[in-house]
PDB file of all heavy atoms in Angstrom:
ATOM      1  N   SER C 811     -20.674 189.108 101.862  1.00 98.00           N
ATOM      2  CA  SER C 811     -19.914 189.792 100.819  1.00 98.00           C
ATOM      3  C   SER C 811     -18.666 189.010 100.451  1.00 98.00           C
ATOM      4  O   SER C 811     -18.065 188.327 101.291  1.00 98.00           O
ATOM      5  CB  SER C 811     -19.524 191.197 101.285  1.00 98.00           C
ATOM      6  OG  SER C 811     -20.665 192.014 101.461  1.00 98.00           O
ATOM      7  N   ILE C 812     -18.262 189.129  99.181  1.00 98.00           N
ATOM      8  CA  ILE C 812     -17.099 188.396  98.685  1.00 98.00           C
ATOM      9  C   ILE C 812     -16.283 189.293  97.758  1.00 98.00           C
ATOM     10  O   ILE C 812     -16.831 190.002  96.912  1.00 98.00           O
ATOM     11  CB  ILE C 812     -17.524 187.126  97.913  1.00 98.00           C
ATOM     12  CG1 ILE C 812     -18.224 186.136  98.855  1.00 98.00           C
ATOM     13  CG2 ILE C 812     -16.317 186.455  97.258  1.00 98.00           C
ATOM     14  CD1 ILE C 812     -18.719 184.874  98.179  1.00 98.00           C
ATOM     15  N   ILE C 813     -14.964 189.235  97.935  1.00 98.00           N
ATOM     16  CA  ILE C 813     -14.051 189.929  97.030  1.00 98.00           C
ATOM     17  C   ILE C 813     -12.983 188.939  96.580  1.00 98.00           C
ATOM     18  O   ILE C 813     -12.547 188.084  97.356  1.00 98.00           O
ATOM     19  CB  ILE C 813     -13.415 191.167  97.720  1.00 98.00           C
ATOM     20  CG1 ILE C 813     -12.565 191.970  96.740  1.00 98.00           C
ATOM     21  CG2 ILE C 813     -12.586 190.759  98.927  1.00 98.00           C
ATOM     22  CD1 ILE C 813     -12.122 193.319  97.299  1.00 98.00           C
ATOM     23  N   GLY C 814     -12.599 189.012  95.301  1.00 98.00           N
ATOM     24  CA  GLY C 814     -11.625 188.078  94.755  1.00 98.00           C
ATOM     25  C   GLY C 814     -10.298 188.746  94.425  1.00 98.00           C
ATOM     26  O   GLY C 814      -9.992 189.846  94.889  1.00 98.00           O
ATOM     27  N   PHE C 815      -9.507 188.057  93.600  1.00 97.00           N
ATOM     28  CA  PHE C 815      -8.200 188.573  93.183  1.00 97.00           C
ATOM     29  C   PHE C 815      -7.883 188.020  91.798  1.00 97.00           C
ATOM     30  O   PHE C 815      -8.012 186.821  91.576  1.00 97.00           O
ATOM     31  CB  PHE C 815      -7.107 188.133  94.173  1.00 97.00           C
ATOM     32  CG  PHE C 815      -5.864 188.978  94.128  1.00 97.00           C
ATOM     33  CD1 PHE C 815      -5.531 189.806  95.196  1.00 97.00           C
ATOM     34  CD2 PHE C 815      -5.012 188.943  93.028  1.00 97.00           C
ATOM     35  CE1 PHE C 815      -4.376 190.587  95.160  1.00 97.00           C
ATOM     36  CE2 PHE C 815      -3.870 189.718  92.978  1.00 97.00           C
ATOM     37  CZ  PHE C 815      -3.536 190.545  94.046  1.00 97.00           C
ATOM     38  N   ASP C 816      -7.489 188.871  90.881  1.00 95.00           N
ATOM     39  CA  ASP C 816      -7.027 188.563  89.523  1.00 95.00           C
ATOM     40  C   ASP C 816      -7.803 189.337  88.464  1.00 95.00           C
ATOM     41  O   ASP C 816      -7.255 189.795  87.497  1.00 95.00           O
ATOM     42  CB  ASP C 816      -7.094 187.061  89.166  1.00 95.00           C
ATOM     43  CG  ASP C 816      -6.047 186.242  89.892  1.00 95.00           C
ATOM     44  OD1 ASP C 816      -4.970 186.800  90.215  1.00 95.00           O
ATOM     45  OD2 ASP C 816      -6.298 185.049  90.156  1.00 95.00           O
ATOM     46  N   ASP C 817      -9.132 189.450  88.644  1.00 95.00           N
ATOM     47  CA  ASP C 817     -10.021 190.039  87.639  1.00 95.00           C
ATOM     48  C   ASP C 817      -9.970 189.251  86.337  1.00 95.00           C
ATOM     49  O   ASP C 817      -9.735 189.796  85.253  1.00 95.00           O
ATOM     50  CB  ASP C 817      -9.703 191.514  87.377  1.00 95.00           C
ATOM     51  CG  ASP C 817     -10.842 192.221  86.613  1.00 95.00           C
ATOM     52  OD1 ASP C 817     -12.003 191.790  86.782  1.00 95.00           O
ATOM     53  OD2 ASP C 817     -10.574 193.170  85.865  1.00 95.00           O
ATOM     54  N   ILE C 818     -10.224 187.936  86.438  1.00 92.00           N
ATOM     55  CA  ILE C 818     -10.371 187.121  85.244  1.00 92.00           C
ATOM     56  C   ILE C 818     -11.641 187.550  84.514  1.00 92.00           C
ATOM     57  O   ILE C 818     -12.522 188.203  85.084  1.00 92.00           O
ATOM     58  CB  ILE C 818     -10.419 185.618  85.585  1.00 92.00           C
ATOM     59  CG1 ILE C 818     -11.620 185.302  86.499  1.00 92.00           C
ATOM     60  CG2 ILE C 818      -9.120 185.173  86.239  1.00 92.00           C
ATOM     61  CD1 ILE C 818     -11.809 183.820  86.779  1.00 92.00           C
ATOM     62  N   GLN C 819     -11.772 187.188  83.273  1.00 91.00           N
ATOM     63  CA  GLN C 819     -12.895 187.634  82.447  1.00 91.00           C
ATOM     64  C   GLN C 819     -14.240 187.222  83.052  1.00 91.00           C
ATOM     65  O   GLN C 819     -15.220 187.960  82.989  1.00 91.00           O
ATOM     66  CB  GLN C 819     -12.761 187.073  81.032  1.00 91.00           C
ATOM     67  CG  GLN C 819     -13.728 187.674  80.030  1.00 91.00           C
ATOM     68  CD  GLN C 819     -13.453 187.223  78.613  1.00 91.00           C
ATOM     69  OE1 GLN C 819     -12.954 186.127  78.384  1.00 91.00           O
ATOM     70  NE2 GLN C 819     -13.774 188.059  77.645  1.00 91.00           N
ATOM     71  N   LEU C 820     -14.271 186.047  83.656  1.00 92.00           N
ATOM     72  CA  LEU C 820     -15.516 185.535  84.218  1.00 92.00           C
ATOM     73  C   LEU C 820     -16.056 186.402  85.347  1.00 92.00           C
ATOM     74  O   LEU C 820     -17.260 186.405  85.622  1.00 92.00           O
ATOM     75  CB  LEU C 820     -15.293 184.095  84.732  1.00 92.00           C
ATOM     76  CG  LEU C 820     -16.523 183.278  85.119  1.00 92.00           C
ATOM     77  CD1 LEU C 820     -17.474 183.129  83.936  1.00 92.00           C
ATOM     78  CD2 LEU C 820     -16.100 181.909  85.643  1.00 92.00           C
ATOM     79  N   ALA C 821     -15.181 187.177  85.997  1.00 95.00           N
ATOM     80  CA  ALA C 821     -15.588 187.985  87.147  1.00 95.00           C
ATOM     81  C   ALA C 821     -16.671 188.999  86.797  1.00 95.00           C
ATOM     82  O   ALA C 821     -17.509 189.346  87.634  1.00 95.00           O
ATOM     83  CB  ALA C 821     -14.374 188.701  87.740  1.00 95.00           C
ATOM     84  N   GLN C 822     -16.684 189.471  85.561  1.00 95.00           N
ATOM     85  CA  GLN C 822     -17.678 190.473  85.173  1.00 95.00           C
ATOM     86  C   GLN C 822     -18.943 189.853  84.590  1.00 95.00           C
ATOM     87  O   GLN C 822     -19.912 190.555  84.317  1.00 95.00           O
ATOM     88  CB  GLN C 822     -17.071 191.443  84.152  1.00 95.00           C
ATOM     89  CG  GLN C 822     -16.560 190.799  82.878  1.00 95.00           C
ATOM     90  CD  GLN C 822     -15.870 191.796  81.979  1.00 95.00           C
ATOM     91  OE1 GLN C 822     -16.418 192.869  81.698  1.00 95.00           O
ATOM     92  NE2 GLN C 822     -14.663 191.470  81.520  1.00 95.00           N
ATOM     93  N   TYR C 823     -18.942 188.521  84.416  1.00 95.00           N
ATOM     94  CA  TYR C 823     -20.100 187.851  83.839  1.00 95.00           C
ATOM     95  C   TYR C 823     -20.956 187.118  84.863  1.00 95.00           C
ATOM     96  O   TYR C 823     -22.134 186.852  84.611  1.00 95.00           O
ATOM     97  CB  TYR C 823     -19.650 186.863  82.754  1.00 95.00           C
ATOM     98  CG  TYR C 823     -18.997 187.521  81.573  1.00 95.00           C
ATOM     99  CD1 TYR C 823     -17.856 186.974  80.986  1.00 95.00           C
ATOM    100  CD2 TYR C 823     -19.499 188.705  81.040  1.00 95.00           C
ATOM    101  CE1 TYR C 823     -17.248 187.584  79.900  1.00 95.00           C
ATOM    102  CE2 TYR C 823     -18.896 189.323  79.952  1.00 95.00           C
ATOM    103  CZ  TYR C 823     -17.778 188.762  79.388  1.00 95.00           C
ATOM    104  OH  TYR C 823     -17.173 189.365  78.314  1.00 95.00           O
ATOM    105  N   VAL C 824     -20.370 186.744  85.995  1.00 96.00           N
ATOM    106  CA  VAL C 824     -21.153 186.056  87.025  1.00 96.00           C
ATOM    107  C   VAL C 824     -22.144 187.039  87.641  1.00 96.00           C
ATOM    108  O   VAL C 824     -22.002 188.260  87.515  1.00 96.00           O
ATOM    109  CB  VAL C 824     -20.246 185.458  88.121  1.00 96.00           C
ATOM    110  CG1 VAL C 824     -19.388 184.346  87.552  1.00 96.00           C
ATOM    111  CG2 VAL C 824     -19.374 186.532  88.769  1.00 96.00           C
ATOM    112  N   ARG C 825     -23.142 186.512  88.306  1.00 95.00           N
ATOM    113  CA  ARG C 825     -24.131 187.340  88.998  1.00 95.00           C
ATOM    114  C   ARG C 825     -24.173 186.952  90.470  1.00 95.00           C
ATOM    115  O   ARG C 825     -24.411 185.800  90.771  1.00 95.00           O
ATOM    116  CB  ARG C 825     -25.515 187.164  88.364  1.00 95.00           C
ATOM    117  CG  ARG C 825     -25.592 187.721  86.947  1.00 95.00           C
ATOM    118  CD  ARG C 825     -25.428 189.251  86.945  1.00 95.00           C
ATOM    119  NE  ARG C 825     -25.530 189.823  85.609  1.00 95.00           N
ATOM    120  CZ  ARG C 825     -24.512 189.978  84.779  1.00 95.00           C
ATOM    121  NH1 ARG C 825     -23.300 189.605  85.167  1.00 95.00           N
ATOM    122  NH2 ARG C 825     -24.670 190.500  83.591  1.00 95.00           N
ATOM    123  N   PRO C 826     -23.947 187.904  91.388  1.00 97.00           N
ATOM    124  CA  PRO C 826     -23.588 189.294  91.102  1.00 97.00           C
ATOM    125  C   PRO C 826     -22.168 189.394  90.541  1.00 97.00           C
ATOM    126  O   PRO C 826     -21.341 188.519  90.766  1.00 97.00           O
ATOM    127  CB  PRO C 826     -23.676 189.963  92.466  1.00 97.00           C
ATOM    128  CG  PRO C 826     -23.363 188.874  93.438  1.00 97.00           C
ATOM    129  CD  PRO C 826     -23.989 187.635  92.844  1.00 97.00           C
ATOM    130  N   LYS C 827     -21.908 190.477  89.811  1.00 97.00           N
ATOM    131  CA  LYS C 827     -20.577 190.700  89.268  1.00 97.00           C
ATOM    132  C   LYS C 827     -19.589 190.826  90.419  1.00 97.00           C
ATOM    133  O   LYS C 827     -19.874 191.460  91.428  1.00 97.00           O
ATOM    134  CB  LYS C 827     -20.565 191.959  88.404  1.00 97.00           C
ATOM    135  CG  LYS C 827     -21.448 191.867  87.166  1.00 97.00           C
ATOM    136  CD  LYS C 827     -21.418 193.159  86.362  1.00 97.00           C
ATOM    137  CE  LYS C 827     -22.325 193.062  85.146  1.00 97.00           C
ATOM    138  NZ  LYS C 827     -22.341 194.324  84.361  1.00 97.00           N
ATOM    139  N   LEU C 828     -18.426 190.230  90.240  1.00 98.00           N
ATOM    140  CA  LEU C 828     -17.466 190.089  91.336  1.00 98.00           C
ATOM    141  C   LEU C 828     -16.573 191.315  91.509  1.00 98.00           C
ATOM    142  O   LEU C 828     -15.886 191.744  90.579  1.00 98.00           O
ATOM    143  CB  LEU C 828     -16.592 188.860  91.097  1.00 98.00           C
ATOM    144  CG  LEU C 828     -15.583 188.509  92.192  1.00 98.00           C
ATOM    145  CD1 LEU C 828     -16.301 188.076  93.472  1.00 98.00           C
ATOM    146  CD2 LEU C 828     -14.629 187.409  91.710  1.00 98.00           C
ATOM    147  N   THR C 829     -16.588 191.866  92.714  1.00 98.00           N
ATOM    148  CA  THR C 829     -15.599 192.870  93.104  1.00 98.00           C
ATOM    149  C   THR C 829     -14.271 192.152  93.307  1.00 98.00           C
ATOM    150  O   THR C 829     -14.220 191.089  93.931  1.00 98.00           O
ATOM    151  CB  THR C 829     -16.034 193.591  94.383  1.00 98.00           C
ATOM    152  OG1 THR C 829     -17.214 194.352  94.105  1.00 98.00           O
ATOM    153  CG2 THR C 829     -14.950 194.522  94.888  1.00 98.00           C
ATOM    154  N   THR C 830     -13.187 192.727  92.798  1.00 98.00           N
ATOM    155  CA  THR C 830     -11.927 191.995  92.829  1.00 98.00           C
ATOM    156  C   THR C 830     -10.736 192.937  92.741  1.00 98.00           C
ATOM    157  O   THR C 830     -10.885 194.144  92.540  1.00 98.00           O
ATOM    158  CB  THR C 830     -11.890 190.977  91.654  1.00 98.00           C
ATOM    159  OG1 THR C 830     -10.725 190.161  91.748  1.00 98.00           O
ATOM    160  CG2 THR C 830     -11.896 191.689  90.316  1.00 98.00           C
ATOM    161  N   ILE C 831      -9.548 192.360  92.898  1.00 98.00           N
ATOM    162  CA  ILE C 831      -8.298 193.083  92.701  1.00 98.00           C
ATOM    163  C   ILE C 831      -7.755 192.709  91.321  1.00 98.00           C
ATOM    164  O   ILE C 831      -7.535 191.541  91.035  1.00 98.00           O
ATOM    165  CB  ILE C 831      -7.265 192.735  93.789  1.00 98.00           C
ATOM    166  CG1 ILE C 831      -7.819 193.061  95.181  1.00 98.00           C
ATOM    167  CG2 ILE C 831      -5.965 193.480  93.538  1.00 98.00           C
ATOM    168  CD1 ILE C 831      -8.156 194.521  95.411  1.00 98.00           C
ATOM    169  N   LYS C 832      -7.540 193.704  90.487  1.00 96.00           N
ATOM    170  CA  LYS C 832      -7.151 193.463  89.101  1.00 96.00           C
ATOM    171  C   LYS C 832      -5.645 193.452  88.935  1.00 96.00           C
ATOM    172  O   LYS C 832      -4.950 194.331  89.431  1.00 96.00           O
ATOM    173  CB  LYS C 832      -7.740 194.559  88.206  1.00 96.00           C
ATOM    174  CG  LYS C 832      -7.349 194.450  86.725  1.00 96.00           C
ATOM    175  CD  LYS C 832      -7.936 195.611  85.936  1.00 96.00           C
ATOM    176  CE  LYS C 832      -7.583 195.535  84.465  1.00 96.00           C
ATOM    177  NZ  LYS C 832      -8.188 194.364  83.806  1.00 96.00           N
ATOM    178  N   GLN C 833      -5.161 192.441  88.243  1.00 94.00           N
ATOM    179  CA  GLN C 833      -3.807 192.479  87.720  1.00 94.00           C
ATOM    180  C   GLN C 833      -3.938 192.533  86.201  1.00 94.00           C
ATOM    181  O   GLN C 833      -4.673 191.759  85.605  1.00 94.00           O
ATOM    182  CB  GLN C 833      -2.982 191.284  88.165  1.00 94.00           C
ATOM    183  CG  GLN C 833      -3.573 189.903  87.895  1.00 94.00           C
ATOM    184  CD  GLN C 833      -2.543 188.817  88.107  1.00 94.00           C
ATOM    185  OE1 GLN C 833      -1.449 188.866  87.552  1.00 94.00           O
ATOM    186  NE2 GLN C 833      -2.881 187.831  88.921  1.00 94.00           N
ATOM    187  N   ASP C 834      -3.245 193.458  85.588  1.00 92.00           N
ATOM    188  CA  ASP C 834      -3.381 193.698  84.156  1.00 92.00           C
ATOM    189  C   ASP C 834      -2.554 192.674  83.378  1.00 92.00           C
ATOM    190  O   ASP C 834      -1.330 192.780  83.293  1.00 92.00           O
ATOM    191  CB  ASP C 834      -2.934 195.121  83.831  1.00 92.00           C
ATOM    192  CG  ASP C 834      -3.323 195.552  82.434  1.00 92.00           C
ATOM    193  OD1 ASP C 834      -3.229 194.709  81.515  1.00 92.00           O
ATOM    194  OD2 ASP C 834      -3.730 196.719  82.253  1.00 92.00           O
ATOM    195  N   MET C 835      -3.238 191.680  82.813  1.00 92.00           N
ATOM    196  CA  MET C 835      -2.547 190.614  82.085  1.00 92.00           C
ATOM    197  C   MET C 835      -1.811 191.147  80.864  1.00 92.00           C
ATOM    198  O   MET C 835      -0.709 190.690  80.535  1.00 92.00           O
ATOM    199  CB  MET C 835      -3.555 189.542  81.648  1.00 92.00           C
ATOM    200  CG  MET C 835      -4.260 188.841  82.787  1.00 92.00           C
ATOM    201  SD  MET C 835      -3.123 187.874  83.796  1.00 92.00           S
ATOM    202  CE  MET C 835      -4.298 187.018  84.851  1.00 92.00           C
ATOM    203  N   ASN C 836      -2.409 192.098  80.162  1.00 92.00           N
ATOM    204  CA  ASN C 836      -1.773 192.633  78.955  1.00 92.00           C
ATOM    205  C   ASN C 836      -0.465 193.340  79.282  1.00 92.00           C
ATOM    206  O   ASN C 836       0.542 193.183  78.576  1.00 92.00           O
ATOM    207  CB  ASN C 836      -2.722 193.580  78.233  1.00 92.00           C
ATOM    208  CG  ASN C 836      -3.896 192.856  77.604  1.00 92.00           C
ATOM    209  OD1 ASN C 836      -3.770 191.703  77.172  1.00 92.00           O
ATOM    210  ND2 ASN C 836      -5.035 193.503  77.555  1.00 92.00           N
ATOM    211  N   LYS C 837      -0.466 194.126  80.376  1.00 93.00           N
ATOM    212  CA  LYS C 837       0.758 194.813  80.779  1.00 93.00           C
ATOM    213  C   LYS C 837       1.826 193.813  81.199  1.00 93.00           C
ATOM    214  O   LYS C 837       3.020 194.008  80.926  1.00 93.00           O
ATOM    215  CB  LYS C 837       0.472 195.798  81.909  1.00 93.00           C
ATOM    216  CG  LYS C 837      -0.237 197.065  81.460  1.00 93.00           C
ATOM    217  CD  LYS C 837      -0.374 198.056  82.591  1.00 93.00           C
ATOM    218  CE  LYS C 837      -1.062 199.342  82.117  1.00 93.00           C
ATOM    219  NZ  LYS C 837      -1.218 200.321  83.218  1.00 93.00           N
ATOM    220  N   ARG C 838       1.418 192.748  81.878  1.00 92.00           N
ATOM    221  CA  ARG C 838       2.392 191.728  82.295  1.00 92.00           C
ATOM    222  C   ARG C 838       3.006 191.063  81.080  1.00 92.00           C
ATOM    223  O   ARG C 838       4.222 190.837  81.016  1.00 92.00           O
ATOM    224  CB  ARG C 838       1.721 190.672  83.175  1.00 92.00           C
ATOM    225  CG  ARG C 838       1.235 191.187  84.501  1.00 92.00           C
ATOM    226  CD  ARG C 838       0.811 190.061  85.412  1.00 92.00           C
ATOM    227  NE  ARG C 838       1.974 189.437  86.011  1.00 92.00           N
ATOM    228  CZ  ARG C 838       1.906 188.409  86.845  1.00 92.00           C
ATOM    229  NH1 ARG C 838       0.741 187.884  87.155  1.00 92.00           N
ATOM    230  NH2 ARG C 838       2.989 187.902  87.384  1.00 92.00           N
ATOM    231  N   ALA C 839       2.157 190.751  80.099  1.00 94.00           N
ATOM    232  CA  ALA C 839       2.661 190.106  78.889  1.00 94.00           C
ATOM    233  C   ALA C 839       3.599 191.041  78.130  1.00 94.00           C
ATOM    234  O   ALA C 839       4.669 190.622  77.670  1.00 94.00           O
ATOM    235  CB  ALA C 839       1.488 189.687  78.011  1.00 94.00           C
ATOM    236  N   GLU C 840       3.214 192.303  78.000  1.00 94.00           N
ATOM    237  CA  GLU C 840       4.054 193.277  77.292  1.00 94.00           C
ATOM    238  C   GLU C 840       5.406 193.427  77.960  1.00 94.00           C
ATOM    239  O   GLU C 840       6.457 193.471  77.299  1.00 94.00           O
ATOM    240  CB  GLU C 840       3.338 194.631  77.238  1.00 94.00           C
ATOM    241  CG  GLU C 840       2.124 194.645  76.318  1.00 94.00           C
ATOM    242  CD  GLU C 840       1.293 195.906  76.474  1.00 94.00           C
ATOM    243  OE1 GLU C 840       1.705 196.782  77.278  1.00 94.00           O
ATOM    244  OE2 GLU C 840       0.247 196.012  75.819  1.00 94.00           O
ATOM    245  N   LYS C 841       5.414 193.528  79.286  1.00 93.00           N
ATOM    246  CA  LYS C 841       6.674 193.672  80.019  1.00 93.00           C
ATOM    247  C   LYS C 841       7.512 192.400  79.897  1.00 93.00           C
ATOM    248  O   LYS C 841       8.745 192.475  79.745  1.00 93.00           O
ATOM    249  CB  LYS C 841       6.391 193.989  81.485  1.00 93.00           C
ATOM    250  CG  LYS C 841       7.631 194.108  82.367  1.00 93.00           C
ATOM    251  CD  LYS C 841       8.632 195.131  81.847  1.00 93.00           C
ATOM    252  CE  LYS C 841       8.114 196.531  81.939  1.00 93.00           C
ATOM    253  NZ  LYS C 841       9.174 197.526  81.591  1.00 93.00           N
ATOM    254  N   ALA C 842       6.857 191.244  79.946  1.00 93.00           N
ATOM    255  CA  ALA C 842       7.580 189.982  79.829  1.00 93.00           C
ATOM    256  C   ALA C 842       8.280 189.869  78.480  1.00 93.00           C
ATOM    257  O   ALA C 842       9.464 189.499  78.409  1.00 93.00           O
ATOM    258  CB  ALA C 842       6.619 188.810  80.020  1.00 93.00           C
ATOM    259  N   ILE C 843       7.580 190.210  77.404  1.00 94.00           N
ATOM    260  CA  ILE C 843       8.184 190.115  76.072  1.00 94.00           C
ATOM    261  C   ILE C 843       9.282 191.163  75.904  1.00 94.00           C
ATOM    262  O   ILE C 843      10.322 190.902  75.291  1.00 94.00           O
ATOM    263  CB  ILE C 843       7.114 190.280  74.974  1.00 94.00           C
ATOM    264  CG1 ILE C 843       5.986 189.250  75.169  1.00 94.00           C
ATOM    265  CG2 ILE C 843       7.748 190.119  73.597  1.00 94.00           C
ATOM    266  CD1 ILE C 843       6.444 187.824  75.341  1.00 94.00           C
ATOM    267  N   GLU C 844       9.074 192.352  76.462  1.00 93.00           N
ATOM    268  CA  GLU C 844      10.098 193.393  76.419  1.00 93.00           C
ATOM    269  C   GLU C 844      11.389 192.921  77.081  1.00 93.00           C
ATOM    270  O   GLU C 844      12.495 193.086  76.535  1.00 93.00           O
ATOM    271  CB  GLU C 844       9.577 194.653  77.117  1.00 93.00           C
ATOM    272  CG  GLU C 844      10.577 195.782  77.239  1.00 93.00           C
ATOM    273  CD  GLU C 844      10.072 196.912  78.109  1.00 93.00           C
ATOM    274  OE1 GLU C 844       8.860 197.182  78.100  1.00 93.00           O
ATOM    275  OE2 GLU C 844      10.897 197.540  78.812  1.00 93.00           O
ATOM    276  N   LEU C 845      11.259 192.316  78.253  1.00 92.00           N
ATOM    277  CA  LEU C 845      12.443 191.826  78.962  1.00 92.00           C
ATOM    278  C   LEU C 845      13.078 190.639  78.251  1.00 92.00           C
ATOM    279  O   LEU C 845      14.310 190.523  78.192  1.00 92.00           O
ATOM    280  CB  LEU C 845      12.060 191.436  80.392  1.00 92.00           C
ATOM    281  CG  LEU C 845      11.656 192.575  81.323  1.00 92.00           C
ATOM    282  CD1 LEU C 845      11.243 192.029  82.678  1.00 92.00           C
ATOM    283  CD2 LEU C 845      12.798 193.567  81.486  1.00 92.00           C
ATOM    284  N   LEU C 846      12.237 189.757  77.706  1.00 91.00           N
ATOM    285  CA  LEU C 846      12.768 188.584  77.016  1.00 91.00           C
ATOM    286  C   LEU C 846      13.563 189.005  75.784  1.00 91.00           C
ATOM    287  O   LEU C 846      14.637 188.454  75.508  1.00 91.00           O
ATOM    288  CB  LEU C 846      11.634 187.640  76.618  1.00 91.00           C
ATOM    289  CG  LEU C 846      12.078 186.311  75.993  1.00 91.00           C
ATOM    290  CD1 LEU C 846      12.951 185.521  76.968  1.00 91.00           C
ATOM    291  CD2 LEU C 846      10.871 185.476  75.567  1.00 91.00           C
ATOM    292  N   GLU C 847      13.070 189.982  75.038  1.00 92.00           N
ATOM    293  CA  GLU C 847      13.798 190.473  73.873  1.00 92.00           C
ATOM    294  C   GLU C 847      15.141 191.081  74.281  1.00 92.00           C
ATOM    295  O   GLU C 847      16.145 190.929  73.566  1.00 92.00           O
ATOM    296  CB  GLU C 847      12.959 191.499  73.118  1.00 92.00           C
ATOM    297  CG  GLU C 847      11.824 190.895  72.318  1.00 92.00           C
ATOM    298  CD  GLU C 847      11.281 191.843  71.265  1.00 92.00           C
ATOM    299  OE1 GLU C 847      10.892 192.960  71.637  1.00 92.00           O
ATOM    300  OE2 GLU C 847      11.247 191.463  70.076  1.00 92.00           O
ATOM    301  N   ALA C 848      15.164 191.753  75.423  1.00 91.00           N
ATOM    302  CA  ALA C 848      16.418 192.312  75.924  1.00 91.00           C
ATOM    303  C   ALA C 848      17.395 191.197  76.278  1.00 91.00           C
ATOM    304  O   ALA C 848      18.599 191.285  75.992  1.00 91.00           O
ATOM    305  CB  ALA C 848      16.154 193.197  77.134  1.00 91.00           C
ATOM    306  N   LEU C 849      16.888 190.137  76.883  1.00 88.00           N
ATOM    307  CA  LEU C 849      17.730 188.993  77.227  1.00 88.00           C
ATOM    308  C   LEU C 849      18.273 188.324  75.971  1.00 88.00           C
ATOM    309  O   LEU C 849      19.443 187.935  75.910  1.00 88.00           O
ATOM    310  CB  LEU C 849      16.930 187.985  78.052  1.00 88.00           C
ATOM    311  CG  LEU C 849      16.585 188.381  79.488  1.00 88.00           C
ATOM    312  CD1 LEU C 849      15.574 187.411  80.084  1.00 88.00           C
ATOM    313  CD2 LEU C 849      17.843 188.424  80.356  1.00 88.00           C
TER     314      LEU C 849
END
């Protein structure tokens, strides 16, 4: 058995599909731009 980390797009396309730990890239980008605008 194998488990990964990140949940990149490829993780759902490989066979078998990869169980993983997801970090939400969109939320990270949104928060980054929010903070940058404040700065």
Side-chain angles (χ1 to χ4, degrees):
S811 295
I812 295 178
I813 185 170
F815 201 111
D816 288 331
D817 195 29
I818 61 175
Q819 191 173 29
L820 191 59
Q822 59 185 310
Y823 296 138
V824 294
R825 293 294 181 271
K827 296 179 181 179
L828 184 67
T829 294
T830 186
I831 302 299
K832 177 182 180 65
Q833 53 168 308
D834 193 321
M835 298 295 188
N836 290 328
K837 285 186 179 179
R838 294 190 79 181
E840 290 170 2
K841 178 55 68 173
I843 304 310
E844 176 188 326
L845 292 177
L846 185 60
E847 285 198 305
L849 289 169

